[in-house]
Amino acid sequence: MYTGSTGYILFFALLMKKVLLYVLVMLGLAAPMNAQQFFTINNPDYRKSPHTGMTRQHWKEAALFMLDGAFSYVKNIDDPMKFPKQHEITYPRNEGQVPTEKLEGLSRTLFVAAPLLREDPELKLNGIGVAEYYRHQLGNLIKEGHPSFIRHRARNGGPSQILVEFGAMAISLFTAPAVLWDPLPQDQKDALAAVMLSYADGPTVDSNWKFFNIFVLSFFDQQGYTVNKKLLVEYLDRSLKHYRGEGWYNDSPAFDYYSMWAFQMYGILWADFYGNKNYPDQARTFTQYFSDLKDNYSYLFARDGKMIMWGRSISYRYAAVTPFLLMGLENDPATNWGWMRRIASGNLLQFFLHPEFMEEGVPTLGFYGPFEPATQMYSCRGSVYWGGKVFLGLLVPEDHPFWQATENEGAWEKDFKKGTVVNKFQPGSEILITNYPTIGSSEVRAWCHETVAGDWQKFRSTENYNRLSYNSAFLWQADGKQGEVAMNYLTKNVKGQWEALRLYTFRSFEGGVYHRDAVLETNRELRYSLRDQPLADGILRNDTLFSPVDTELRLGHYALPVLDKPMKQQVRTIGGRRVYILDNGYYTLAMAVNDNFSRMEFVETTGLHPEADKSVVINAVASVKAGEPLALKSVMLWKQSGNKFRKKDFKLLN
């Protein structure tokens, strides 16, 4: 969101909050900060990287910045990677989960450390040798009686978080074996192999989790241990069956960033580390599927590289750009390396330069700052270091075109024109990616079909997936209990509760219109026919509701956070239509609806938006009569702040 002069004003306003904290620390009025709280781009290179100033050296400095924060919690070599808990929903929720929490902090910070240690085995942080620390901690995992000790998987034990973290650890062992593995005594190697294989040579979850088994089995096979190769091949082949085309894997059942920071990342890394030599057929297929993502994935990011807040585990954030860096392993000369690096660096800086990103030396569980509605119950504070996967891009050497090409903005500067809209539809995944050249944002419409009743982890049926669309410029807002809604319909159910749409069925994408049906979970006879048409500066909705009961509904535009300027609210008549307009000093939103809606209103909210405590959204309200199809037409528009809406903007509503 920090674009143009207004963006810099916002950045410095937020920065001042942290500066004030620093002053309070100096005066003894606040607790000291254990690590550097701000990432700075030292000596930016605007010749090679005119948009971000970022080079490979700056990426290494970003990794050190992240790792330094983690090591601020390590006072001696025996201290675990255990961080302050954030949000009630997260684990540990009992003492029995603490060893897993420690393992998660260890394995995930190792994503950041391994590529740095590969180049600098003598690296020290907080006075501690980083390589020595991780080798010592690996030894603690197999030391019975130690607080970090991990038991072998029970004979009938199922998949667990321990399998996930051992899989992650195997990736880092592949990355820097000469530093992390080779120096270990043989008895420690054997004990680690035994405990890690006890989890890998066993059951898994039918999702991206199969790769955790695959990496452990593959690493120890490479090290000469006896492994279950039959199971390895089975999990490889089953993983390939998740592929749906155009670069997208299905993560049983969702499409989201797990296609990229899991399936695509794991596939190309596994091929490079092990598969090309040992299982060339599967490696070749993973590499081909990786190549497919170039057709559309870069379009999912805004012109400045910012990402869409969409799907679960969003606190992993910049891990989403990992495939752009790992294209350096595939080495296709047709790749626009300057654009790929521009997206990757822009996305990294989206968070590393945001003053709310770090808290207590550790990234927050949220998007910018802490935000519990976007946090899942399987996360602990150390989970955020899953984003450290992106630094595995440092495996791509300095002289590679990824690092040496001049940054550019690809299709945004060559192909897109302001005043137009660009759609890219992927038939295999039924994902629609839309680009808006006028404001430089991107948007996605994708799978959601999960009941609350069946969603025991409480994330697939929620706002993480159930919005009508997700836009890089307008972060999704959580629903409120009084019917506050952004970019979705709420319908009052038989219990008198406001129920969001979440059971969508894709129908078609034709003539620029994305058509889905949706039913209410608590009353499947109540049906919506949804037709979204992206416009140059917004969305035209042409929906129909079929209801067997009298009820009420609410439809929300995107929400705007209240930032460092007053929120302006205005009601105007434009082209004979009553138009509600919001302006937060950065963007202005407008909404108009047909006469089947009874009214519109500005809804002020607190604690529902991921970017600010206060926000405002425009809602339209309708009363519904049983048995009568109700045509619901609306126009939701946006512009940069200061631009006015005109009569022509609403002519499609007639």
Side-chain angles (χ1 to χ4, degrees):
M1 185 167 249
Y2 302 136
T3 57
S5 59
T6 54
Y8 289 111
I9 292 170
L10 171 60
F11 171 78
F12 285 114
L14 291 170
L15 183 63
M16 288 306 297
K17 291 174 64 178
K18 297 270 177 145
V19 172
L20 176 60
L21 176 60
Y22 177 79
V23 171
L24 291 173
V25 170
M26 294 298 99
L27 294 175
L29 300 176
M33 294 178 287
N34 295 318
Q36 180 185 354
Q37 297 295 302
F38 314 106
F39 176 68
T40 55
I41 306 174
N42 298 310
N43 301 313
D45 185 344
Y46 289 115
R47 172 174 287 184
K48 183 180 292 184
S49 302
H51 299 285
T52 68
M54 291 279 285
T55 65
R56 188 176 186 275
Q57 178 59 33
H58 296 112
W59 273 78
K60 289 176 64 175
E61 291 171 7
L64 281 167
F65 166 75
M66 185 62 54
L67 198 60
D68 184 60
F71 267 81
S72 70
Y73 290 88
V74 178
K75 306 306 179 188
N76 64 70
I77 201 169
D78 207 47
D79 284 345
M81 282 291 180
K82 189 176 184 303
F83 310 107
K85 183 178 168 73
Q86 193 170 69
H87 306 318
E88 286 302 312
I89 193 175
T90 60
Y91 92 93
R93 290 174 287 274
N94 56 66
E95 286 301 310
Q97 294 177 318
V98 171
T100 305
E101 177 197 17
K102 294 176 182 177
L103 178 64
E104 189 161 340
L106 181 72
S107 70
R108 298 187 179 209
T109 57
L110 196 51
F111 277 141
V112 188
L116 293 173
L117 291 172
R118 182 183 171 103
E119 298 186 22
D120 182 9
E122 304 305 315
L123 176 65
K124 285 191 174 182
L125 291 174
N126 202 21
I128 295 173
V130 174
E132 182 186 5
Y133 172 80
Y134 282 103
R135 291 194 299 265
H136 180 79
Q137 291 294 323
L138 289 173
N140 287 345
L141 299 179
I142 52 175
K143 189 181 296 182
E144 192 161 2
H146 192 279
S148 296
F149 175 68
I150 300 296
R151 298 184 181 279
H152 284 227
R153 180 178 66 88
R155 181 185 298 270
N156 297 317
S160 66
Q161 193 68 36
I162 293 173
L163 169 63
V164 175
E165 306 314 323
F166 278 158
M169 194 171 290
I171 293 173
S172 294
L173 294 176
F174 264 126
T175 299
V179 183
L180 296 170
W181 179 257
D182 294 349
L184 295 177
Q186 190 60 46
D187 62 334
Q188 285 194 6
K189 291 180 178 179
D190 293 344
L192 279 167
V195 68
M196 291 175 72
L197 285 170
S198 77
Y199 289 87
D201 186 5
T204 192
V205 177
D206 190 27
S207 66
N208 71 88
W209 277 45
K210 291 185 284 293
F211 277 102
F212 305 133
N213 305 71
I214 288 167
F215 272 104
V216 175
L217 292 168
S218 298
F219 178 77
F220 286 110
D221 179 54
Q222 188 180 78
Q223 297 301 318
Y225 289 88
T226 300
V227 306
N228 188 342
K229 292 188 178 181
K230 181 179 178 182
L231 187 65
L232 172 59
V233 172
E234 177 188 337
Y235 285 166
L236 287 168
D237 291 342
R238 284 172 55 187
S239 294
L240 287 167
K241 289 180 179 178
H242 287 263
Y243 191 65
R244 298 294 182 270
E246 300 92 35
W248 292 92
Y249 288 83
N250 182 266
D251 196 33
S252 298
F255 291 100
D256 53 31
Y257 289 117
Y258 274 91
S259 282
M260 305 302 169
W261 64 39
F263 283 96
Q264 290 288 16
M265 173 202 152
Y266 297 148
I268 195 70
L269 275 180
W270 175 83
D272 187 68
F273 286 152
Y274 174 84
N276 288 332
K277 179 179 178 181
N278 296 280
Y279 293 92
D281 290 343
Q282 287 92 340
R284 192 161 39 247
T285 305
F286 279 123
T287 302
Q288 178 56 56
Y289 292 169
F290 182 86
S291 183
D292 292 347
L293 67 84
K294 294 173 190 170
D295 177 64
N296 66 84
Y297 189 52
S298 55
Y299 295 83
L300 192 63
F301 293 80
R303 179 168 188 158
D304 59 4
K306 290 186 174 62
M307 68 185 294
I308 298 170
M309 183 182 176
W310 163 55
R312 69 187 179 103
S313 300
I314 199 62
S315 62
Y316 304 163
R317 303 168 172 101
Y318 40 86
V321 297
T322 305
F324 298 122
L325 293 97
L326 295 183
M327 287 177 186
L329 302 179
E330 185 200 23
N331 219 10
D332 179 357
T335 303
N336 184 341
W337 300 109
W339 189 21
M340 299 305 99
R341 192 173 81 254
R342 194 275 179 270
I343 296 171
S345 294
N347 180 249
L348 190 75
L349 295 180
Q350 177 181 1
F351 302 102
F352 276 51
L353 293 183
H354 197 289
E356 302 300 313
F357 171 59
M358 296 284 279
E359 189 172 284
E360 303 166 304
V362 181
T364 59
L365 280 165
F367 194 68
Y368 291 126
F371 189 58
E372 189 163 20
T375 303
Q376 280 71 60
M377 62 185 293
Y378 54 73
S379 291
C380 67
R381 187 66 182 277
S383 297
V384 294
Y385 291 102
W386 208 241
K389 291 176 173 183
V390 77
F391 296 113
L392 294 169
L394 293 171
L395 294 172
V396 177
E398 176 79 36
D399 61 358
H400 192 279
F402 178 85
W403 299 112
Q404 295 304 320
T406 302
E407 270 186 356
N408 65 79
E409 293 184 322
W412 292 94
E413 65 185 41
K414 292 170 54 180
D415 305 324
F416 295 171
K417 300 190 185 320
K418 289 187 176 181
T420 65
V421 62
V422 181
N423 291 310
K424 288 186 78 72
F425 177 66
Q426 286 64 243
S429 60
E430 299 169 349
I431 289 174
L432 177 65
I433 297 172
T434 302
N435 297 113
Y436 297 98
T438 303
I439 67 167
S441 77
S442 57
E443 194 170 66
V444 69
R445 292 165 175 82
W447 171 93
C448 184
H449 197 100
E450 183 76 50
T451 64
V452 169
D455 186 11
W456 66 275
Q457 288 187 307
K458 306 303 180 191
F459 59 79
R460 296 200 196 280
S461 63
T462 69
E463 296 91 334
N464 294 279
Y465 292 95
N466 70 21
R467 305 295 85 175
L468 295 167
S469 58
Y470 295 84
N471 193 296
S472 61
F474 312 110
L475 307 186
W476 66 255
Q477 176 171 287
D479 293 339
K481 294 183 179 180
Q482 304 305 315
E484 309 96 314
V485 61
M487 200 44 66
N488 202 354
Y489 280 100
L490 296 184
T491 309
K492 187 163 283 188
N493 63 26
V494 68
K495 294 181 179 180
Q497 301 167 332
W498 289 107
E499 182 176 329
L501 293 185
R502 60 181 67 94
L503 300 179
Y504 297 91
T505 301
F506 173 78
R507 294 305 181 195
S508 65
F509 178 67
E510 297 175 349
V513 177
Y514 191 74
H515 180 199
R516 291 167 288 182
D517 291 340
V519 297
L520 206 64
E521 177 180 348
T522 58
N523 185 348
R524 304 297 177 92
E525 298 301 313
L526 194 152
R527 312 186 312 277
Y528 285 84
S529 177
L530 304 168
R531 289 175 172 84
D532 308 28
Q533 182 179 348
L535 309 172
D537 296 298
I539 303 166
L540 172 67
R541 302 204 58 82
N542 198 350
D543 307 323
T544 306
L545 171 65
F546 305 89
S547 177
V549 296
D550 292 353
T551 187
E552 299 174 64
L553 64 83
R554 299 176 67 87
L555 170 65
H557 199 334
Y558 288 120
L560 282 183
V562 178
L563 299 170
D564 58 331
K565 300 178 181 180
M567 182 76 74
K568 297 178 181 178
Q569 304 177 10
Q570 186 180 19
V571 180
R572 294 179 56 203
T573 299
I574 305 177
R577 288 288 177 184
R578 194 168 179 82
V579 179
Y580 277 57
I581 302 172
L582 275 177
D583 191 328
N584 73 344
Y586 299 93
Y587 292 104
T588 180
L589 304 182
M591 185 173 178
V593 296
N594 70 358
D595 294 338
N596 285 334
F597 289 92
S598 58
R599 70 180 190 278
M600 287 192 292
E601 58 191 27
F602 297 111
V603 181
E604 299 180 358
T605 71
T606 301
L608 299 181
H609 198 279
E611 195 170 9
D613 185 51
K614 295 186 180 300
S615 58
V616 185
V617 63
I618 305 168
N619 278 189
V621 182
S623 297
V624 181
K625 293 296 183 183
E628 299 178 5
L630 189 65
L632 301 167
K633 201 168 184 179
S634 60
V635 177
M636 303 177 183
L637 302 178
W638 51 74
K639 296 180 186 291
Q640 297 281 0
S641 182
N643 291 291
K644 293 184 178 181
F645 295 97
R646 305 189 184 280
K647 181 178 179 179
K648 65 179 182 178
D649 294 324
F650 302 95
K651 64 182 181 180
L652 291 174
L653 195 58
N654 297 323

